[in-house]
Amino acid sequence: MSFTPVVDILHSATPLERVRIGGWVRTRRDAKGFTFLELNDGSCLANVQCIVDEGTPAHARLEGVNTGAAVAVSGALVESPGKGQKWEVRAEEMTVFGLADPESFPLQKKRHSDEFLRSIAHLRARTNKYGAAFRIRSEAALAVHRFFAGRGFACVHTPVLTGSDCEGAGEMFRVTTGDVCGAPAPANGDEFFGKACNLTVSGQLEAECLALGLGKVYSFGPTFRAENSNTPRHAAEFWMIEPEAAFADLEDNMELGESLTRFVVGQVLERRAEDVELFDKFVDKGLIARLQSIVEQPFARCPYREAVKILASSGRAFDFPAVFGKDLQTEHERFLSEEHFKRPVIVFDYPKEIKAFYMRLNDDGETVAAMDVLVPRIGELIGGSQREERLDVLTARIRELGQDPAAYWWYLDLRRFGSVPHSGFGMGFERLVMLLTGISNIRDAIPFPRTPGSLEF
């Protein structure tokens, strides 16, 4: 059962005597002597029009075929007299795989709200908007792998189940073989692993281990955070791109984050132009121009201390005052990238009190070699740092933050045995998809969002 993708048919240079396409009916229009079927197979935004003439074997199969039905059509690819399309298929034979009851099929030929489509997430990939969004997501993922392969990074797989808390925030999902959800943790001997187990919030610590043996690595996988947040920028399950490089400092890290962002944006603009155009036209006017500027202009760079001064003197009445020693809020991040610098900006050298234990302490004793990449409309896209490679300083920082160094014995071993400067970051993949599409809610940047109170699919 061999099918020709619609995207290949629509880009064919010449008519073809025989094609076979499989797809879902978008519209059906009956006319005197023939029927129009618009088919879409998900390979591209466009549909292919099929003309089904009366008297053909294909026409005999049309009973019950309406919007949503899954069919295969065979016939000749011919030039179309219709406006806006180069080719159409003159149907000869048709196979009906599955009908869709027109009374109950929820995707009709009209605009549906994002909220409604989230309630039928199992079907929304069949719409123009979400078909385009998930093709862009696919292209972005492939671009990530191309980028790191081109720079000699090894792709590694870090654990989803973990016994350590990378971020020290405590917002982790506990995993247990117990029968009662929310029951008290059993004694160590009763746990599957002999200790408490959680879903990971980051693969960074394990990636560091691998980088200090392989040189340059990256992981790309799911991470989890049990934070009861219903903002448009947070989800309980999300994907992270986490590179780590040995013999790399903060400057190297900033260059890597900027280059990755610009490369992926450029690849999506080039390879998924039609899908991006849909979002530019219907979702976020000006999207293409903004993405092109990201590719063409270098990112601004600004120390955290200077960023706070810019915010404090902006004359803007922020909901959260910009004060040294406090983390930047989304409103601050967007002001810096959208209004002050008018392009992505990398803010670096944050106060140590608001950053994790593993970030390298600067010589001033007050800040750490951390960096965030801030982009228009999203805010923080990347967060990273040069890692603390000095055993005594790292041990002191773990204790300072109220954690037990013994729990990180293996992580500290990296500083005992052949320690080197190294750095890395985490890029939120859904936020990258939001940047690429203009989608404003993270729930629409991932096929099946997991958020507080939502685990339907």
Side-chain angles (χ1 to χ4, degrees):
M1 188 182 292
S2 179
F3 296 97
T4 304
V6 168
V7 66
D8 292 345
I9 288 173
L10 297 178
H11 289 92
S12 177
T14 59
L16 300 172
E17 290 185 4
R18 190 80 174 170
V19 295
R20 188 166 192 241
I21 58 175
W24 292 268
V25 176
R26 286 292 179 85
T27 61
R28 170 180 173 167
R29 290 180 291 121
D30 293 315
K32 188 175 182 180
F34 60 90
T35 293
F36 291 107
L37 289 183
E38 294 275 346
L39 293 189
N40 186 284
D41 68 351
S43 64
C44 64
L45 183 63
N47 307 323
V48 64
Q49 179 171 273
C50 302
I51 312 299
V52 187
D53 292 310
E54 285 186 3
T56 62
H59 197 273
R61 301 277 187 176
L62 277 175
E63 184 177 356
V65 173
N66 287 296
T67 299
V71 303
V73 173
S74 300
L77 184 70
V78 299
E79 291 188 21
S80 174
K83 187 177 181 180
Q85 57 192 21
K86 183 178 180 181
W87 307 110
E88 62 186 25
V89 175
R90 197 51 83 162
E92 299 165 5
E93 298 176 357
M94 183 167 67
T95 302
V96 179
F97 293 107
L99 299 177
D101 178 13
E103 298 299 320
S104 59
F105 183 60
L107 294 175
Q108 297 301 321
K109 193 176 181 181
K110 63 177 184 178
R111 294 287 294 272
H112 297 288
S113 71
D114 292 327
E115 291 77 11
F116 170 72
L117 291 173
R118 283 176 213 140
S119 73
I120 55 166
H122 58 303
L123 296 173
R124 64 178 178 169
R126 298 194 201 178
T127 66
N128 284 341
K129 178 178 179 179
Y130 288 97
F134 300 146
R135 283 189 296 271
I136 288 173
R137 183 182 172 105
S138 172
E139 190 60 53
L142 293 172
V144 167
H145 291 298
R146 285 193 291 265
F147 174 83
F148 285 116
R151 289 199 170 207
F153 280 70
C155 180
V156 298
H157 304 106
T158 55
V160 169
L161 299 175
T162 181
S164 61
D165 182 357
C166 175
E167 299 295 332
E171 294 165 340
M172 304 179 76
F173 286 102
R174 179 168 162 255
V175 179
T176 179
T177 55
D179 293 331
V180 182
C181 182
N188 282 349
D190 294 333
E191 284 282 3
F192 185 87
F193 292 105
K195 63 184 296 187
C197 174
N198 302 291
L199 295 179
T200 186
V201 298
S202 170
Q204 177 205 312
L205 303 189
E206 292 84 0
E208 282 189 57
C209 299
L210 296 168
L212 297 185
L214 296 176
K216 296 186 293 186
V217 305
Y218 74 102
S219 64
F220 188 175
T223 54
F224 309 86
R225 185 155 300 183
E227 182 179 5
N228 191 15
S229 173
N230 275 297
T231 77
R233 300 170 66 248
H234 294 91
E237 178 184 324
F238 52 99
W239 285 64
M240 289 282 284
I241 302 151
E242 298 184 286
E244 290 286 332
F247 305 100
D249 59 16
L250 181 64
E251 185 67 30
D252 298 319
N253 207 34
M254 291 192 285
E255 187 279 327
L256 186 69
E258 176 177 346
S259 295
L260 171 62
T261 305
R262 295 172 70 183
F263 180 84
V264 174
V265 171
Q267 290 282 288
V268 168
L269 283 173
E270 177 185 341
R271 295 169 179 258
R272 296 257 54 112
E274 185 182 39
D275 291 325
V276 177
E277 285 169 7
L278 177 141
F279 286 97
D280 184 75
K281 184 176 181 180
F282 295 109
V283 176
D284 180 14
K285 294 186 187 302
L287 172 67
I288 291 176
R290 186 165 63 250
L291 294 178
Q292 287 173 335
S293 72
I294 289 174
V295 175
E296 294 165 1
Q297 293 186 74
F299 293 2
R301 298 192 184 186
C302 179
Y304 166 88
R305 192 182 301 273
E306 180 63 28
V308 170
K309 290 179 180 177
I310 291 170
L311 294 165
S313 62
S314 67
R316 179 67 58 86
F318 294 109
D319 292 334
F320 298 90
V323 179
F324 187 90
K326 298 290 185 181
D327 212 351
L328 299 181
Q329 302 297 313
T330 302
E331 60 179 342
H332 303 145
E333 296 167 345
R334 291 190 59 178
F335 175 84
L336 291 170
S337 60
E338 293 173 20
E339 299 185 44
H340 184 79
F341 291 102
K342 295 181 173 30
R343 54 181 166 147
V345 55
I346 305 177
V347 177
F348 60 95
D349 287 349
Y350 282 80
K352 66 177 183 178
E353 288 79 13
I354 60 174
K355 290 297 182 181
F357 68 87
Y358 50 76
M359 299 188 177
R360 193 182 198 278
L361 189 65
N362 287 328
D363 293 341
D364 60 14
E366 186 179 30
T367 63
V368 291
M371 67 94 177
D372 289 340
V373 177
L374 314 179
V375 297
R377 296 191 81 250
I378 306 298
E380 181 189 336
L381 176 66
I382 292 173
S385 72
Q386 183 174 337
R387 314 311 189 187
E388 183 55 77
E389 84 280 11
R390 298 164 294 186
L391 177 62
D392 57 339
V393 179
L394 179 58
T395 304
R397 283 287 290 151
I398 292 174
R399 289 198 177 100
E400 184 181 326
L401 295 176
Q403 295 175 268
D404 182 9
Y408 296 94
W409 65 270
W410 54 274
Y411 189 67
L412 293 172
D413 268 2
L414 300 176
R415 279 72 181 171
R416 292 189 181 98
F417 309 129
S419 184
V420 300
H422 58 289
S423 67
F425 60 75
M427 170 188 275
F429 188 53
E430 281 70 37
R431 291 190 183 180
L432 178 62
V433 174
M434 292 169 71
L435 174 71
L436 292 166
T437 59
I439 285 173
S440 59
N441 195 313
I442 197 170
R443 293 165 177 81
D444 302 325
I446 187 170
F448 301 102
R450 273 67 173 105
T451 55
S454 176
L455 192 66
E456 187 66 25
F457 303 96

